[in-house]
Amino acid sequence: MNAGDGRTHGASGSGPGWPEGEDPADQWVLDPATGSYRLNLDGGAGAPKAAVPAQGRPADGRPASRTSQSAATGQTSQTSQTSQTGQTGRTGRTARVGDTQTTAAIPAQSRGRAANRRARDGQPGAAETPDTPETGGRAARRKASRTPTRGRRALKWTAGVGGFVLVAGCAGGIYAYQHLNGNITGVDVNLGDEAHRPKAATKAVNILIIGTDSREGLGKKYGDEGSVGHADTTFLFHVSADRTNATAVSIPRDLLVDIPECKTGDKVIPGTDRAMFNTSLGQDGRDPGCTWKTVEKLTGVRVDHFVEVNFEAVKTLSTAVGGVEVCAAKDLVDPKSHLNMKAGHHVIKGDEALAFVRTRHAVGFGGDLTRIPLQQQFISGLIRKVKSDGTLTDPTKVWNLADAATKALTVDQSIAGVLKLKDLAQDLSAVDTKHITFTTVPVIDDTEDKNRLALKQPDASQLFQMVAADRSLTKVKKKGTASASASAAASPAATTKAAPADVRVTVKNGSGVTGQAQATVEWMQNTKGYLRSSNGFNAPATEKTTLYYAPDHADQARTLAEAMGLPAAQMKATTEYGTGEKDPMLLILGKDFTAPGISLTAPTVAPSDLQRVQADDTNLCAK
């Protein structure tokens, strides 16, 4: 026993460092300053100790005793200490973990549900504080529940089968630090030479969410329990720099991609061309870093972190929130996934939730592409449930959610800790659910293998460019000045343009990719009507595509720049080249050039037939 503490540290309870038989959820107390619950961080050796305010200590510096004998009743009650704000009936406690500090004002009567139960049963030691506004009673709680900060006290979005962001739904994420921190698995990924990775253009955050099909620990009920676990469900989750919107791009497992060479530990794994995307994880010993590199190569988007979750995570997370609401437009029966669901709305959890997200044969054409919108519907429902007051104000649900979420996570080493996850999640908490869009990268059947998929161009590149340039898929008022459109950016002060047939241009290839100049000339002539374009062959390697033109040819330059989506900054007027009436302009293709017809400036409008699911859509039903 610690002097004056009244708790036995190191005893075996419901969690590390908690007293025998005491539920960690019982240590939650209401904070009237925010209207939300906080964990009593003084709960045990496994949790950070709370500092007693200076005025609550005796002269020798030791913590003041928390008990006093009442001469009138002979009962033991906890001494009300005067907080640093000068109010009575509250104790200002400051808990410190590493370099992170948090302060909670705790009403004297809100010492956890265990004390409240003792009060109802008339047991000694029960909380007997009058229910008054001064002591944080019902009136104070009602007032606190109306505080405008409620929208900021928990995470406003989720991602990747819910695992990553659910940590932040727990009002701060630093309670029971050692227990929750010990749940998280971190992987040190090797991404190779930094110079070959996409550049981070903004302060947006891109998180790669990998749902693995590993059956480890699930037995034979769900198939091959010896499976190494491939990238079965993958999202590239983008959160805008100003935190007004988010886009989650699903990457189909059957998409054929080029998997680059990667390194797992000391093992170098050779790259593979035209491989199924899902083999970027697990196959030949590949770890999440290999999937990370594959996604960056495929999309041109820089990934900041990864989060991996498995089948078990779907079961535990859906159960921890008390179930997720989904909808079926028809009866869904799939013996292979063990789904048997009647048409209508349902609240699902555990095995039924896993069966729902796994089914392919009960929806659409029975393939992976028709399963993706169903998974997006489930995650959207999980987002809404996590954000609901019924989850965030229930101490038991919050504790169970944090415990289940951290156990479900495998993350990159840079965020492998409760405090790091909490800091990242809080930074993203402003995203409104109605501005979270799920979509699938546009694909078509592969020309050589009808059972596999290929990117549909230019739609796929258009979507990737929007993500890389931090463009929203929903109409949202951006903080700050929006970027100019491609056509506006490409237009100098004057607006006159030449007809395509009058544009003279020589195209040279400085992109480093063989054949780009000829492919561009063919596109110009056959698709756009630039009949006076020609192939100038190779040029020295250059980073940015640049158009050089004489001032007298500015009308031609505007026409060509608009067709290519060329930014004005990459148009160079010069008197040293092509000043004659019939002299051609010079277009040098740089490393930023992807393919003919794909804009060099990120589009502001998504492809017209892009599949979408909005996270706030409660009427979406699986068909």
Side-chain angles (χ1 to χ4, degrees):
M1 296 288 287
N2 288 350
D5 190 47
R7 298 179 186 266
T8 303
H9 295 283
S12 60
S14 300
W18 296 103
E20 180 67 36
E22 200 165 318
D23 186 347
D26 284 345
Q27 309 308 312
W28 284 82
V29 292
L30 184 69
D31 184 349
T34 64
S36 64
Y37 286 90
R38 291 183 180 273
L39 191 73
N40 181 351
L41 294 179
D42 207 14
K49 285 192 175 184
V52 178
Q55 68 268 31
R57 297 179 183 271
D60 60 4
R62 294 175 298 174
S65 172
R66 297 185 184 178
T67 60
S68 63
Q69 298 296 327
S70 170
T73 64
Q75 293 178 324
T76 302
S77 62
Q78 187 168 357
T79 303
S80 295
Q81 296 175 347
T82 303
S83 70
Q84 294 176 356
T85 63
Q87 294 177 308
T88 60
R90 298 181 182 179
T91 302
R93 294 193 179 122
T94 302
R96 193 174 186 88
V97 182
D99 294 330
T100 302
Q101 181 170 298
T102 182
T103 302
I106 303 174
Q109 101 288 355
S110 297
R111 299 191 186 93
R113 294 182 301 179
N116 292 336
R117 285 196 296 267
R118 289 194 296 270
R120 289 193 298 269
D121 296 338
Q123 299 176 18
E128 298 180 359
T129 307
D131 187 17
T132 66
E134 288 75 13
T135 57
R138 286 189 296 271
R141 289 197 297 273
R142 285 196 298 270
K143 182 178 180 181
S145 68
R146 294 193 295 268
T147 176
T149 63
R150 182 169 62 179
R152 298 192 296 270
R153 70 174 183 256
L155 190 64
K156 297 293 185 185
W157 61 277
T158 190
V161 203
F164 160 59
V165 293
L166 292 176
V167 175
C170 302
I174 62 171
Y175 51 80
Y177 172 79
Q178 290 182 344
H179 175 78
L180 297 178
N181 207 56
N183 287 343
I184 301 170
T185 301
V187 174
D188 191 6
V189 296
N190 188 330
L191 299 175
D193 186 2
E194 179 69 22
H196 291 91
R197 297 184 60 203
K199 298 295 186 291
T202 70
K203 293 182 180 180
V205 177
N206 297 307
I207 304 138
L208 181 63
I209 313 300
I210 306 171
T212 173
D213 59 358
S214 171
R215 275 79 165 173
E216 184 179 357
L218 296 176
K220 297 182 179 180
K221 178 179 178 182
Y222 294 100
D224 181 12
E225 60 180 333
S227 170
V228 295
H230 295 101
D232 192 57
T233 301
T234 305
F235 294 90
L236 177 58
F237 198 95
H238 168 85
V239 181
S240 67
D242 63 5
R243 309 306 187 240
T244 62
N245 64 90
T247 301
V249 180
S250 293
I251 302 175
R253 68 174 194 176
D254 296 335
L255 179 65
L256 292 180
V257 299
D258 293 338
I259 300 176
E261 177 184 285
C262 60
K263 191 173 183 180
T264 301
D266 295 329
K267 180 182 179 182
V268 176
I269 305 170
T272 306
D273 295 337
R274 286 181 55 80
M276 283 179 60
F277 174 80
N278 71 337
T279 61
S280 64
L281 178 71
Q283 196 80 5
D284 300 322
R286 294 186 177 108
D287 70 0
C290 298
T291 307
W292 186 327
K293 292 186 68 173
T294 301
V295 170
E296 288 193 338
K297 181 176 182 179
L298 174 71
T299 65
V301 177
R302 184 183 181 89
V303 176
D304 300 297
H305 304 289
F306 90 85
V307 176
E308 179 187 318
V309 291
N310 57 22
F311 282 177
E312 188 66 20
V314 177
K315 295 170 58 177
T316 57
L317 293 173
S318 60
T319 300
V321 298
V324 175
E325 183 177 0
V326 297
C327 178
K330 62 179 183 179
D331 292 351
L332 302 180
V333 180
D334 184 357
K336 292 188 176 181
S337 76
H338 309 289
L339 180 65
N340 189 352
M341 177 180 288
K342 296 293 184 181
H345 288 264
H346 302 267
V347 176
I348 59 175
K349 59 184 177 181
D351 285 319
E352 188 178 16
L354 180 56
F356 183 82
V357 299
R358 290 187 64 230
T359 186
R360 286 183 295 157
H361 303 288
V363 291
F365 299 106
D368 185 56
L369 280 180
T370 53
R371 175 173 61 177
I372 288 175
L374 180 145
Q375 294 172 337
Q376 294 170 347
Q377 180 197 159
F378 175 82
I379 299 172
S380 296
L382 186 58
I383 293 173
R384 296 192 299 269
K385 190 59 178 286
V386 169
K387 288 181 58 179
S388 69
D389 285 345
T391 298
L392 297 178
T393 59
D394 186 317
T396 300
K397 284 185 180 179
V398 169
W399 170 262
N400 291 341
L401 190 55
D403 196 36
T406 49
K407 286 177 180 177
L409 297 175
T410 298
V411 300
D412 60 283
Q413 200 63 49
S414 67
I415 56 171
V418 172
L419 299 183
K420 295 174 182 178
L421 285 172
K422 180 267 301 181
D423 289 342
L424 179 60
Q426 283 187 335
D427 188 40
L428 310 178
S429 63
V431 180
D432 194 316
T433 307
K434 66 182 179 182
H435 294 309
I436 301 175
T437 304
F438 290 88
T439 187
T440 304
V441 58
V443 293
I444 56 175
D445 290 339
D446 184 70
T447 55
E448 298 178 21
D449 186 348
K450 297 300 182 182
N451 294 318
R452 298 292 176 258
L453 301 170
L455 293 178
K456 179 184 177 182
Q457 296 292 17
D459 292 12
S461 291
Q462 185 176 347
L463 176 61
F464 294 150
Q465 283 183 309
M466 290 187 71
V467 172
D470 198 20
R471 302 285 170 81
S472 175
L473 294 186
T474 63
K475 293 182 179 180
V476 57
K477 185 176 181 180
K478 302 287 288 182
K479 298 176 181 177
T481 303
S483 299
S485 65
S487 59
S491 301
T495 57
T496 56
K497 298 174 187 175
D502 295 331
V503 173
R504 301 172 185 269
V505 61
T506 297
V507 182
K508 290 190 175 184
N509 184 15
S511 69
V513 179
T514 302
Q516 290 284 50
Q518 182 59 34
T520 300
V521 169
E522 291 176 358
W523 171 77
M524 286 180 173
Q525 293 180 351
N526 299 330
T527 304
K528 308 302 289 186
Y530 295 95
L531 301 180
R532 296 179 178 180
S533 57
S534 62
N535 186 350
F537 303 102
N538 292 330
T542 181
E543 291 294 323
K544 296 290 185 180
T545 298
T546 306
L547 177 62
Y548 297 92
Y549 65 97
D552 289 346
H553 298 164
D555 56 345
Q556 296 183 41
R558 295 186 196 102
T559 299
L560 183 59
E562 182 178 59
M564 298 191 65
L566 188 68
Q570 292 169 233
M571 299 170 63
K572 306 293 183 183
T574 176
T575 57
E576 299 179 1
Y577 179 83
T579 56
E581 181 180 352
K582 296 184 178 181
D583 288 343
M585 301 180 292
L586 175 62
L587 176 66
I588 299 180
L589 304 178
K591 293 180 181 179
D592 60 340
F593 182 81
T594 305
I598 296 177
S599 175
L600 286 160
T601 303
T604 57
V605 179
S608 59
D609 58 349
L610 191 67
Q611 177 267 333
R612 305 182 193 215
V613 169
Q614 295 303 133
D616 65 339
D617 187 356
T618 59
N619 296 316
L620 180 67
C621 296
K623 302 178 181 179

